[in-house]
Amino acid sequence: MKPITKSVVRKLFKMKWRVFAISMVVSLAMAMFIMGLYSAVIFDHSMDTFIEETNFPDVFVSLSEPVDYSVADGVVSNIEGIDTYSLRLKLDGTYHYDSDDYPAVIIGIEDPAREDISRLLLKDGELFNGNGEGNVIAGMEDIGAKVGEVLSFSTIGIDFDITVKGSVQTPEYMFASAIQDSSLPLPGHIVILYMDLGELQNITGFGINDILLNVADGQRDPVVGSLGSLPVSEIIFQEDHPSVVFMDIGAGKMRNMFPLFSVIFMVVGMISIFMTFYRIVMNDSRYIGVLMSLGYSRLKIAWAYMTFGTILAAIGSIIGMILGFLFTMGIMSYTMSMIGDIRVAYPMAPMPFVLGLIFSFGSVLISVGIPIIHITRQSVRQALDHKPKTKILTVGTAFSGLSKTRLMGIRNTFRNPARTALTVLVVGMSIGISGSWIVMADSAWGYMVDQVNQDTWDIRVDFSSPISNEDATSLLDLNETEYVIPFAYLAGQISGGGNSDSTFIVASDRVLETRDFELESGRLDLTTSVITNKLASELGVSQGDRITITVGAKTLETTVGGVVFDILMQAVYLDRDAASSLVDRENASSAFVKLQDKEDIDKVAAEFEEMEGVAKVTIQDDIINAMEETFGQGMGMLYFFFFICLIIAMVVAASAIIISTMERDIEFATLETLGIPRRKVIGSMLIEIGIIGFFSALIGLPFAYLFGKLFAIVMEDVLYYFPIVFAFSAMAITFAFGFLFVIGSSIFPIRYTGKLDAEKTIRERTAG
Amino acid sequence: MTLVKINDLHKSYTTGGEITHVLKGTDLRMKKGEMIMVMGPSGSGKTTLLNLLGGIDGSDSGVLVVDGLDLTKLGKKELNRFRRERVGFIFQFYNLIPTLTAIENVELGLESILGNSKEMRARSRKYLELVGLSDKARNYPQELSGGQQQRVAIARALAKEPALILADEPTGNIDEEREESIMGIMKELQHQLGITFLIVSHNTRLKRYMDRTLILRHGKLHEGS
């Protein structure tokens, strides 16, 4: 190694733990950068893997009434183009637990170990293997649906018990949600039971009423067309299945959010890395001047410092890659647990790490290179005479009453105003990013409550098969009800604006009574169509645009009459005339019910559940509770980001302050020779850091709103649209935590000055 | 009255695994009010001796008593207190705090003894006046010449009226004319206030101000000419 390189490398060894501290700036910036990119890749891969490894069916066929197994088998087995199929008996039922009743879906299947179609992934225990045994979808353990328990069910008025042998996962019920067709993964209490088909047939006396198909490429339409001899009530293609719809319209777009984090952290990381390395090199100006006087070329000097930067970048990168992977693991396991506890599949994806390495080495080398160019452009004399800027802000006698050490603290903050401003800006940005999570959580929560309160109905009832509007009304019209509004409810595809998406269609003449719709644009004109804002933004359509709605083979072309805000539904609202080409205008599949007194909700809901023909009863308050629960889980992730960003702010602040402390070590050594008590020296530093912390936290507030708004745009895809609103509590939390974390960073410079060798410092700093 | 008593003082440093014995049984007696200069070649241990006397470095063995205090037996806090109350430093490069004005630099040394009091302010003004800088009290160090900065450093060291002032090349960074002025001030204060000075320097011109000149050679002090 050349002497010049050797000397710079030795400088590194002398810095000891400071090398680690400086590397942490690189590490954290890189870790967040990698986390953003790698999470996006893992998200996609995990979703694809989940769908693929479970052999999720291409087509879901529901029959309006059970048919004999051999009849269905005879039809399906003779259709060309079907790769594999599964015949099931699927019934709505009730699960009884602890004197409470919960909705249940009971599915009879031939072979739980089947892997070629709708494979059940075992989470716990084992697959059932005979009568009296079953498997439940994982996630309902809190209501007793867990391995080893004997569960009581009833369906079509028959009670039976099943011993749970294991809990399973399947994309078919990724979100065992009791909330009908929510575009958010809202939790709810519903038990999905898989049991032996033969046993369920024996209990109920039915054949099968549910068919899963995997078909050969391009054969889907002919296959569906060949099912005509069976009493088909509903055909759902894979891309229209609620789980896939959710992954496409909701969770799938989460992948857009993570790279955005990368970009923001990259900016903050680059600025803080630059600040750190620029100052380290500028502090060496005198030494660089000596090298210049000895005839070293700019290239050789630059090379030596590049070695210095490369070593620091390498240490930072190694830690950064490890941290990046750990952060990714943490965030992905949390994200996946929120959307069905899907197994996180880690792909071999070197690109995020390669980009991370390019980012960290690039940032460090640029940060080292710029000051080298700056110094070596000067004359030797200028380089030798270089001193850190010591511009002092003259405050006159304004603070003359203060103790001198406190005065030092105040003035040290402003001795280099430009540098302080940059430090405050970068730390403030980091605090702002932290605060944006709190701002977002506050705004999203408030908006969600507002939105949910706009619904006027108390109970939604879904019928097991369509019934006439009159029958629906008379069935549900009890003494306690204020209104019953039957409606037709369908799943379909919508296209417009050159795009296509899944949607739900709500057709009713009285739908406007069920909700205080908040218009984003246009009019509440149900004779054309009113669509939710999420759907409008997905398609890129607005009022007056033409859209096409497709349900199975039926098609409706209409115009967007208005766009309404809705956080839960991706839906199109129409009156019955407008929807007549899609639905039978006389029949209803569901109904909204408003009660005169909310106190009666549980009683009335229980009464509805007992009624024949009622498949599902949803209480409006359950949606609110489910959303609260979802938010409770989501808050964990938000707080994770909040604290990670605060730690970054702390490291950025610490790295800035430690370097300015190092520049002033002679002053701290002088204080020691003067016998200034340690507590006063610490006090002086705390004042300086406190001022930086105060202004950083203050500047962090507008940044919190700015980044909050930016993230909210992304979250609109992932979650729902919500406006960012000012909330004092979010501001207070951001300010307080931001300030405290910056103050916390003082531990590094305080420790540094505590270990300072006054004698050595004075000798070295005043030598020559 | 003996203010400084050094007997058989040893001090060594380990650099790169190699032990360098700087002081090898050094002896010294200083009377109160005496002004002594220690000379010697570079690396002879002059600054080390100064640092040991000032309590900012510790000896390996020997006796080191200043103003009745055995420095070898004092802990970190007590040494800090010793520096605060009984000793004043003057450095070649002044080591003023750049964010404090001239008067505030003087006050800095006093504040820990007298608190943020009127007495502190009065005494600071007095010593700044003594060094002839009362008109520069509100100036920051970078607004002062080298000589003026050194006078502020002297005022800072003197203001707490210590038993001993340790000066490391106090005129090493100023021209001859200012050197005379600085030494004149120090000599005058020695007489007026009976302050003891130990000055380390290469500068032979300073000999004329000294009561004694000692040479530090091979780790021991010898009487100079």
Side-chain angles (χ1 to χ4, degrees), chain B residues 163-175:
Chain B
L164 174 66
I165 285 189
L166 303 165
D168 192 357
E169 297 282 8
T171 58
N173 214 29
I174 49 180
D175 60 33

mmCIF file of all heavy atoms in Angstrom, chain B residues 163-175:
data_model
loop_
_atom_site.group_PDB
_atom_site.id
_atom_site.type_symbol
_atom_site.label_atom_id
_atom_site.label_comp_id
_atom_site.label_asym_id
_atom_site.label_seq_id
_atom_site.Cartn_x
_atom_site.Cartn_y
_atom_site.Cartn_z
ATOM 1 N N ALA B 163 -2.903 29.945 42.084
ATOM 2 C CA ALA B 163 -1.609 29.885 42.761
ATOM 3 C C ALA B 163 -0.493 29.791 41.715
ATOM 4 O O ALA B 163 0.602 30.317 41.921
ATOM 5 C CB ALA B 163 -1.582 28.662 43.667
ATOM 6 N N LEU B 164 -0.786 29.139 40.605
ATOM 7 C CA LEU B 164 0.258 28.857 39.618
ATOM 8 C C LEU B 164 -0.268 29.086 38.208
ATOM 9 O O LEU B 164 -1.387 28.678 37.895
ATOM 10 C CB LEU B 164 0.669 27.377 39.778
ATOM 11 C CG LEU B 164 1.649 26.792 38.774
ATOM 12 C CD1 LEU B 164 3.036 27.445 38.897
ATOM 13 C CD2 LEU B 164 1.778 25.284 38.977
ATOM 14 N N ILE B 165 0.573 29.761 37.427
ATOM 15 C CA ILE B 165 0.206 29.889 36.007
ATOM 16 C C ILE B 165 1.219 29.122 35.176
ATOM 17 O O ILE B 165 2.442 29.274 35.351
ATOM 18 C CB ILE B 165 0.130 31.360 35.584
ATOM 19 C CG1 ILE B 165 -1.167 31.954 36.145
ATOM 20 C CG2 ILE B 165 0.147 31.493 34.060
ATOM 21 C CD1 ILE B 165 -1.516 33.320 35.661
ATOM 22 N N LEU B 166 0.696 28.280 34.313
ATOM 23 C CA LEU B 166 1.535 27.464 33.442
ATOM 24 C C LEU B 166 1.395 27.995 32.024
ATOM 25 O O LEU B 166 0.270 28.066 31.500
ATOM 26 C CB LEU B 166 1.088 25.995 33.506
ATOM 27 C CG LEU B 166 1.103 25.380 34.903
ATOM 28 C CD1 LEU B 166 0.319 24.067 34.927
ATOM 29 C CD2 LEU B 166 2.529 25.138 35.381
ATOM 30 N N ALA B 167 2.505 28.385 31.447
ATOM 31 C CA ALA B 167 2.441 28.974 30.107
ATOM 32 C C ALA B 167 3.305 28.169 29.152
ATOM 33 O O ALA B 167 4.489 27.956 29.407
ATOM 34 C CB ALA B 167 2.898 30.429 30.160
ATOM 35 N N ASP B 168 2.691 27.718 28.087
ATOM 36 C CA ASP B 168 3.396 26.911 27.087
ATOM 37 C C ASP B 168 3.666 27.792 25.867
ATOM 38 O O ASP B 168 2.731 28.108 25.121
ATOM 39 C CB ASP B 168 2.530 25.703 26.711
ATOM 40 C CG ASP B 168 3.314 24.676 25.900
ATOM 41 O OD1 ASP B 168 4.497 24.935 25.600
ATOM 42 O OD2 ASP B 168 2.735 23.622 25.591
ATOM 43 N N GLU B 169 4.917 28.165 25.696
ATOM 44 C CA GLU B 169 5.316 29.044 24.587
ATOM 45 C C GLU B 169 4.366 30.235 24.475
ATOM 46 O O GLU B 169 3.746 30.439 23.420
ATOM 47 C CB GLU B 169 5.329 28.267 23.261
ATOM 48 C CG GLU B 169 6.336 27.136 23.195
ATOM 49 C CD GLU B 169 7.771 27.603 22.952
ATOM 50 O OE1 GLU B 169 8.000 28.845 22.983
ATOM 51 O OE2 GLU B 169 8.647 26.762 22.791
ATOM 52 N N PRO B 170 4.233 31.040 25.506
ATOM 53 C CA PRO B 170 3.213 32.116 25.474
ATOM 54 C C PRO B 170 3.497 33.170 24.414
ATOM 55 O O PRO B 170 2.586 33.871 23.990
ATOM 56 C CB PRO B 170 3.299 32.719 26.879
ATOM 57 C CG PRO B 170 4.655 32.388 27.368
ATOM 58 C CD PRO B 170 5.017 31.077 26.763
ATOM 59 N N THR B 171 4.747 33.233 23.962
ATOM 60 C CA THR B 171 5.053 34.249 22.947
ATOM 61 C C THR B 171 5.444 33.595 21.624
ATOM 62 O O THR B 171 5.949 34.252 20.723
ATOM 63 C CB THR B 171 6.224 35.148 23.419
ATOM 64 O OG1 THR B 171 7.363 34.297 23.678
ATOM 65 C CG2 THR B 171 5.856 35.911 24.669
ATOM 66 N N GLY B 172 5.168 32.304 21.535
ATOM 67 C CA GLY B 172 5.608 31.540 20.362
ATOM 68 C C GLY B 172 4.934 31.930 19.070
ATOM 69 O O GLY B 172 5.427 31.618 17.997
ATOM 70 N N ASN B 173 3.832 32.617 19.178
ATOM 71 C CA ASN B 173 3.060 32.898 17.969
ATOM 72 C C ASN B 173 2.883 34.399 17.738
ATOM 73 O O ASN B 173 1.980 34.794 17.012
ATOM 74 C CB ASN B 173 1.699 32.218 18.099
ATOM 75 C CG ASN B 173 1.185 31.736 16.762
ATOM 76 O OD1 ASN B 173 1.967 31.415 15.874
ATOM 77 N ND2 ASN B 173 -0.128 31.707 16.620
ATOM 78 N N ILE B 174 3.739 35.179 18.421
ATOM 79 C CA ILE B 174 3.599 36.638 18.245
ATOM 80 C C ILE B 174 4.977 37.276 17.971
ATOM 81 O O ILE B 174 6.014 36.678 18.281
ATOM 82 C CB ILE B 174 2.940 37.306 19.496
ATOM 83 C CG1 ILE B 174 3.620 36.845 20.784
ATOM 84 C CG2 ILE B 174 1.467 37.042 19.560
ATOM 85 C CD1 ILE B 174 3.040 37.459 22.039
ATOM 86 N N ASP B 175 4.929 38.458 17.425
ATOM 87 C CA ASP B 175 6.200 39.096 17.054
ATOM 88 C C ASP B 175 6.922 39.648 18.285
ATOM 89 O O ASP B 175 6.391 39.678 19.393
ATOM 90 C CB ASP B 175 5.963 40.175 15.992
ATOM 91 C CG ASP B 175 5.019 41.255 16.494
ATOM 92 O OD1 ASP B 175 5.040 41.561 17.702
ATOM 93 O OD2 ASP B 175 4.221 41.768 15.675
#
